[in-house]
Amino acid sequence: MNNNFLIKSLKIDNFRGLYNLTLDNLAQVNVFVGANNSGKTSVLEAVKLLGAPDDMGQVVRIALQRAQASAESKRRNIVNYVLSIFQKTTDIDSQQDYYHIKLGINVKSQDYIYEADGTVGEAVDSTGETKGTLDIAIKTSVDGKKANYRSVQIVNGEDAKYTSTERPIYNSLYLASSISYYRSCVVFLSNYIVREGQHDVLQILQTFDKNIDDISIVGEDIYLHNKQSGSMPLFAYGSGLQKAVLLTAAIAYCKNGVILVDEIDNAIHVAAFKDVFGWFLETCIKWNVQAFITTHSAEAIDAILEINHEKHLQEDVLRIITLRKDYKDNVTRKKVRTGEEAYSDRECFKMELRV
């Protein structure tokens, strides 16, 4: 088994709708499945937050990621949006509401704990207008050593500048299900090519299509140069190839780090699942990228399991993790299967892995 990946285990006590969830024995590629609202996306967001726990701006961006609202609405009501990632408790005696996040992660054999507590209040600005506030106290610690503390206040309607005083624990990139494939390709590819050059990107793309012999960016447009079909702008291709190029740029960016992909099957035709997911598994292994992905598709799960069974059986690189909310006991249940266990359950028993 390849143990060179970063994250060994994850514990989520309080975050969004997740309660008391512990995930041990994680692998190179971790696929989260389950019913709607079972917490799959929230796990990816928690891993993203933990990569740079000192960055309050990242907390705000994660909170706003799902909001289908204008920029002005987000700014005006930012307290409510940020509260969406906290869990609320109410003190019986004072009837005061308190908000909590508690996360833990083991990265390269070190245990990191992240705790955030918030209280809602009001502030009066210089014009006499009353605005809602959220005061957050953050505590972080490593291996039980002396904790670091930080506090920040978020105010409705105000543009805040957040600074981070620590280096990220690990490099990570989160691709939300609503992401614009083409525009994101331009951003990620431009940044990576400027920083590292295009050799790695081309090498990965050629595992997807061996006839691609060059890639260039002119202004805000990406061109793929193909030995058979010539040069074409990426926007002329379908969303499936755009998604593949985006995954290529993301994996190159995340080399020796973590990639988080929500609904990885989006925009990819069922007929291409086996090719795309086979390429994804092999590329993550080659570039030492640990992946956390979600899918609702039984066909996507089967394609991943078949590829793993055929080509990566001895490497033990895959986990299929089914999440289910237990509202009665206020916990998030999970079933963790190795790739081969999940393959056997599907092949021998036709077991539904998504519930």
Side-chain angles (χ1 to χ4, degrees), residues 208 268-282 299-312 343:
F208 188 80
I268 301 172
H269 194 277
V270 172
F273 277 176
K274 193 169 180 182
D275 287 339
V276 173
F277 296 139
W279 162 85
F280 183 82
L281 278 172
E282 290 172 6
E299 293 85 358
I301 297 168
D302 286 342
I304 293 170
L305 293 176
E306 189 172 346
I307 285 290
N308 181 72
H309 179 75
E310 291 174 356
K311 296 186 177 182
H312 305 289
Y343 179 84

Side-chain angles (χ1 to χ4, degrees), residues 54-323:
D54 186 62
D55 186 355
M56 188 61 205
Q58 180 164 264
V59 174
V60 173
R61 290 189 294 273
I62 289 171
L64 297 178
Q65 182 76 57
R66 303 191 203 181
Q68 300 297 313
S70 66
E72 177 55 30
S73 177
K74 292 177 181 179
R75 178 176 175 272
R76 189 172 59 249
N77 301 297
I78 190 169
V79 167
N80 286 335
Y81 286 117
V82 174
L83 283 176
S84 69
I85 68 174
F86 285 74
Q87 290 182 359
K88 184 175 75 172
T89 59
T90 303
D91 183 79
I92 297 175
D93 296 328
S94 66
Q95 291 301 299
Q96 172 74 44
D97 292 333
Y98 296 95
Y99 299 86
H100 312 280
I101 295 173
K102 185 175 181 182
L103 305 169
I105 196 167
N106 182 280
V107 180
K108 289 290 185 181
S109 301
Q110 287 190 302
D111 290 314
Y112 294 82
I113 302 295
Y114 174 94
E115 297 178 76
D117 293 285
T119 55
V120 174
E122 292 182 339
V124 179
D125 66 15
S126 58
T127 67
E129 181 182 358
T130 300
K131 297 180 177 181
T133 63
L134 174 61
D135 290 290
I136 303 174
I138 299 172
K139 173 184 175 183
T140 57
S141 61
V142 184
D143 289 336
K145 297 177 183 177
K146 183 179 178 180
N148 293 319
Y149 295 88
R150 189 178 183 193
S151 61
V152 64
Q153 184 180 67
I154 296 173
V155 182
N156 280 337
E158 292 190 2
D159 293 317
K161 301 293 184 182
Y162 302 106
T163 59
S164 178
T165 59
E166 303 287 341
R167 294 186 62 182
I169 299 171
Y170 48 83
N171 180 40
S172 67
L173 185 62
Y174 174 46
L175 304 182
S177 60
S178 59
I179 197 169
S180 168
Y181 301 143
Y182 186 75
R183 293 267 65 88
S184 299
C185 281
V186 174
V187 172
F188 295 144
L189 276 175
S190 297
N191 290 342
Y192 188 82
I193 288 173
V194 167
R195 192 181 71 191
E196 302 287 346
Q198 65 188 60
H199 177 266
D200 290 349
V201 173
L202 267 178
Q203 192 172 349
I204 298 174
L205 269 177
Q206 285 165 351
T207 65
F208 188 80
D209 183 346
K210 63 184 180 184
N211 291 311
I212 296 174
D213 59 2
D214 202 2
I215 183 170
S216 58
I217 301 175
V218 180
E220 296 187 354
D221 292 324
I222 299 172
Y223 288 83
L224 296 182
H225 306 282
N226 192 296
K227 287 183 286 189
Q228 287 188 341
S229 57
S231 300
M232 290 280 287
L234 182 59
F235 61 72
Y237 293 90
S239 58
L241 184 59
Q242 292 183 28
K243 178 74 173 278
V245 174
L246 175 58
L247 290 174
T248 296
I251 289 176
Y253 180 86
C254 293
K255 188 164 53 175
N256 300 313
V258 177
I259 187 171
L260 309 154
V261 188
D262 199 16
E263 298 184 25
I264 193 170
D265 53 287
N266 276 2
I268 301 172
H269 194 277
V270 172
F273 277 176
K274 193 169 180 182
D275 287 339
V276 173
F277 296 139
W279 162 85
F280 183 82
L281 278 172
E282 290 172 6
T283 308
C284 284
I285 294 168
K286 180 176 180 180
W287 295 96
N288 194 34
V289 175
Q290 188 175 16
F292 294 78
I293 66 178
T294 75
T295 182
H296 287 98
S297 168
E299 293 85 358
I301 297 168
D302 286 342
I304 293 170
L305 293 176
E306 189 172 346
I307 285 290
N308 181 72
H309 179 75
E310 291 174 356
K311 296 186 177 182
H312 305 289
L313 183 59
Q314 302 303 317
E315 298 166 275
D316 189 25
V317 296
L318 183 65
R319 296 289 179 272
I320 305 294
I321 303 169
T322 306
L323 300 181

